[in-house]
Every structure is written in C-alpha cells, then in structure tokens.
Amino acid sequence: MPSHELKILQEFIHHQNVQIIGEINPSRRKEIMLSNFFKSHKNQTVKIKIQCREEQKVILAKTDAVGRDFVILTSLLTKYWIPFRAIETAEQPYDQVNIPHQQHQQVVYDEELKQNILLKFGKTVSQKDYLKQQFLNKL
C-alpha cells in the first residue's frame, strides 16, 4: 500500500477507535473527543464556545498545547487555559486561512549571488562590503 494511502487508513482507524472508546465510556467521551480534536489542530486556529459564569463566550485562537483535561489557546495578546468541562463546542473556522505554524522563515535570495559564493567565495565576498560585514560580524 502506498504511504499516503496507509496514512489515511491509519487516521480513519484512529478516529473509529476514538468513537468506540467514547461509546464504551460515556463519562469520558467529551474529554476524549476534545483531546483528539485539539491534537489534530495543533498550531491552527480554532473557534470554541465556553460557558463562563452566566454568559457564553466565543474564543478564536490557536491551539498551543493539549493536556489530559485542558487546552491552552493563544491569541495575539492573550493566553487561555481552558478545562474541557467548560467547553461547549469546538470547531475549525472556515472563514480563516489556516496555515500551520512554520518554524523557519522563508528567504528569497539572489540565485547569481548564491552561485558566486559557492564557486568563487573569496573573490565574491572581498568585492562586496555588505558581505564582508556579514561574515566579520558573525565571527
């Protein structure tokens, strides 16, 4: 079986197992389903509704960490620690662009400069002041 088909099959089996466990243990069903949802949406934007005292709040934030019975969500200025028992609904918003968090910055570089540095390093660096500064500051 090709690896992409195997991965899809494994995800399907995992989701079916979660459903079965939830049916067998209804007292923990909500925790299991929420944990599975937040783990599958790590570093992605989610929209949750929580019951806070007498009012219902809607929070739109990125999933930061998932614990046994809680989730940590972060927005631009706020970090939320929310127990699963307070969450009424959780969903992925469809009106948001959802790109997982990238650790590395993508850089656009000059292809000709790259070739010159690779093939004629000393000559290229010695001719350009900004390259001298970059290499001398790094040492």
Side-chain angles (χ1 to χ4, degrees):
M1 179 178 277
S3 62
H4 66 280
E5 288 181 13
L6 182 61
K7 185 175 181 178
I8 292 171
L9 181 62
Q10 287 173 333
E11 288 178 16
F12 175 77
I13 291 171
H14 176 71
H15 288 295
Q16 291 299 317
N17 287 339
V18 168
Q19 290 286 343
I20 292 169
I21 291 170
E23 290 171 6
I24 291 172
N25 192 353
S27 63
R28 295 218 38 230
R29 178 179 170 84
K30 182 178 178 181
E31 289 178 9
I32 292 168
M33 298 300 279
L34 286 172
S35 175
N36 189 40
F37 171 78
F38 288 118
K39 285 179 183 175
S40 67
H41 290 86
K42 185 91 166 139
N43 295 320
Q44 294 182 5
T45 304
V46 293
K47 178 181 177 182
I48 64 167
K49 291 181 185 174
I50 60 170
Q51 189 65 36
C52 185
R53 297 189 181 106
E54 288 82 34
E55 63 184 80
Q56 190 177 46
K57 288 187 177 181
V58 176
I59 297 174
L60 190 66
K62 286 194 178 217
T63 307
D64 193 28
V66 182
R68 177 175 277 181
D69 60 350
F70 67 92
V71 64
I72 297 174
L73 302 176
T74 55
S75 64
L76 190 59
L77 301 173
T78 312
K79 191 172 224 176
Y80 302 97
W81 181 89
I82 303 168
F84 287 154
R85 67 179 180 277
I87 299 174
E88 291 185 2
T89 63
E91 62 185 33
Q92 182 177 9
Y94 292 103
D95 58 346
Q96 296 280 324
V97 176
N98 222 344
I99 301 170
H101 178 69
Q102 295 180 353
Q103 296 291 332
H104 302 287
Q105 181 181 5
Q106 294 186 2
V107 178
V108 177
Y109 57 88
D110 181 9
E111 189 68 38
E112 184 180 337
L113 178 61
K114 176 186 168 190
Q115 283 295 330
N116 286 338
I117 288 177
L118 287 173
L119 300 174
K120 305 174 211 160
F121 180 80
K123 184 179 177 185
T124 305
V125 172
S126 65
Q127 289 176 348
K128 301 186 185 301
D129 287 334
Y130 72 93
L131 290 176
K132 282 184 201 175
Q133 290 173 356
Q134 279 187 335
F135 283 101
L136 292 176
N137 288 338
K138 300 290 181 189
L139 296 176

